[in-house]
Amino acid sequence: AQSVSQHNHHVILSEAASLELGCNYSYGGTVNLFWYVQYPGQHLQLLLKYFSGDPLVKGIKGFEAEFIKSKFSFNLRKPSVQWSDTAEYFCAVRGYNKLIFGAGTRLAVHP
Amino acid sequence: NAGVTQTPKFRILKIGQSMTLQCTQDMNHNYMYWYRQDPGMGLKLIYYSVGAGITDKGEVPNGYNVSRSTTEDFPLRLELAAPSQTSVYFCASSPPTETGNTIYFGEGSWLTVV
């Protein structure tokens, strides 16, 4: 069965710190991988996506993610976070037809 | 472009009542999804559809029903509302998976069952 696991439920950082959020998935076939962000009171917004090609993908707002097929991972990174990055982050995996989300990671960035 | 439109945005139901959450997309997408989002639980897939006349269960289908009579519409039906169905519901749509395109979400429907 298709599943997604996000390792950190809550992350607290100071501004300018580096960020890495872990995401692992299980699925036997070809996958599309996504990271979404949800700011307080808002709906989901796409940060970045991976379908094929270069496993290092760059998204909006300075975020990037690396697909490591051998580890079934798709970790999200940002070199220097800002207070405005405070939000909840969701990893998602689309297998044959279904799009499945991880439980999310709440990021709080302190000034 | 309207994108994915959900109605209503907010609703309070009494236990045992029924209601339908409407979802419409104007992008001619084949794929449509319904999710619920509970605090700390992420988004759970309720039902999905790969085209008109075709629906399938997701991770948490119990207590819900769907239909897909047209490409544009994918309503979600709650027959006997229960407090456990208090949640935020999101509808989404996308082109076929092999085209490499993204998924578009509606703005959510907040449902409270009391």
Side-chain angles (χ1 to χ4, degrees):
Chain A
Q2 188 177 333
S3 67
V4 182
S5 174
Q6 291 184 239
H7 312 304
N8 314 98
H9 293 293
H10 293 93
V11 173
I12 302 173
L13 295 173
S14 299
E15 275 192 319
S18 63
L19 170 72
E20 181 160 3
L21 301 181
C23 173
N24 285 89
Y25 69 92
S26 66
Y27 184 72
T30 302
V31 294
N32 304 149
L33 299 159
F34 305 84
W35 275 98
Y36 284 86
V37 60
Q38 187 175 34
Y39 297 102
Q42 298 187 24
H43 60 95
L44 292 166
Q45 299 177 35
L46 180 67
L47 273 179
L48 49 79
K49 60 186 178 182
Y50 172 80
F51 286 86
S52 63
D54 189 346
L56 184 62
V57 292
K58 296 191 183 298
I60 61 171
K61 306 187 183 195
F63 287 91
E64 65 178 32
E66 185 175 13
F67 170 50
I68 303 179
K69 189 175 181 179
S70 61
K71 295 185 178 180
F72 297 90
S73 69
F74 189 55
N75 293 354
L76 181 71
R77 299 194 292 249
K78 186 170 184 178
S80 176
V81 295
Q82 301 172 321
W83 175 79
S84 57
D85 292 324
T86 294
E88 191 158 17
Y89 293 80
F90 295 94
C91 180
V93 175
R94 183 164 61 185
Y96 177 58
N97 284 322
K98 294 191 287 189
L99 177 66
I100 303 294
F101 284 81
T105 298
R106 285 182 184 262
L107 172 66
V109 180
H110 294 302
Chain B
N1 281 342
V4 179
T5 303
Q6 293 180 232
T7 56
K9 199 170 179 78
F10 301 96
R11 182 74 186 267
I12 298 174
L13 274 183
K14 292 185 179 179
I15 294 172
Q17 284 185 321
S18 61
M19 76 159 296
T20 299
L21 296 175
Q22 301 291 345
C23 177
T24 299
Q25 52 91 9
D26 61 358
M27 297 172 281
N28 201 33
H29 286 167
N30 300 79
Y31 288 60
M32 295 188 75
Y33 310 85
W34 272 108
Y35 293 90
R36 58 177 288 171
Q37 185 179 23
D38 302 313
M41 300 294 289
L43 281 81
K44 294 294 186 183
L45 181 64
I46 305 171
Y47 271 94
Y48 67 101
S49 169
V50 301
I54 306 169
T55 63
D56 209 344
K57 295 178 180 179
E59 302 169 278
V60 290
N62 292 344
Y64 305 94
N65 277 300
V66 293
S67 60
R68 186 92 184 270
S69 56
T70 66
T71 299
E72 294 78 19
D73 301 308
F74 190 42
L76 178 71
R77 179 95 178 147
L78 285 72
E79 290 294 349
L80 291 170
S84 61
Q85 294 177 304
T86 294
S87 190
V88 184
Y89 292 83
F90 288 97
C91 180
S93 74
S94 77
T97 57
E98 63 272 13
T99 63
N101 284 306
T102 192
I103 299 98
Y104 297 81
F105 283 85
E107 296 195 345
S109 297
W110 275 253
L111 176 65
T112 301
V113 182
V114 295

